[in-house]
Amino acid sequence: MHTLKNNCDYQNNDEVEDILNLVEKNVDCTNKLIKHIDNLIENKYFPQSILKVLTSVRNTYAVNVMNITRLTK
């Protein structure tokens, strides 16, 4: 686990770059998951309760991706 440094050295951006790389990979995986959920919703028959859950999860993922994209660009 990383500990906070008393004096912040902003010249060394390796840790920040690592985090941004992980966030980018997370966004890529989340986009794939969103597409997979969209495919399930469009091509399979589900009871209304399952459909609502899938739609809710999909929309939550989409909002998270949009928020991350706004922060990183």
Side-chain angles (χ1 to χ4, degrees):
M1 181 175 202
H2 293 287
T3 57
L4 295 175
K5 298 176 184 176
N6 289 336
N7 56 349
C8 295
D9 181 14
Y10 293 110
Q11 299 299 322
N12 185 359
N13 288 328
D14 290 341
E15 290 181 7
V16 174
E17 288 295 322
D18 289 344
I19 290 171
L20 289 176
N21 287 334
L22 289 172
V23 167
E24 183 179 345
K25 288 178 184 178
N26 182 287
V27 168
D28 291 342
C29 290
T30 304
N31 280 329
K32 289 178 186 176
L33 187 56
I34 289 169
K35 289 177 184 177
H36 186 72
I37 292 172
D38 285 344
N39 188 34
L40 280 174
I41 290 172
E42 292 172 3
N43 296 317
K44 302 282 184 186
Y45 173 77
F46 291 107
Q48 191 65 25
S49 59
I50 300 296
L51 188 62
K52 285 182 181 180
V53 169
L54 285 172
T55 303
S56 177
V57 168
R58 184 248 182 250
N59 291 341
T60 301
Y61 288 157
V63 168
N64 288 338
V65 167
M66 287 188 297
N67 288 335
I68 290 171
T69 302
R70 270 194 298 172
L71 290 174
T72 57
K73 293 198 178 199

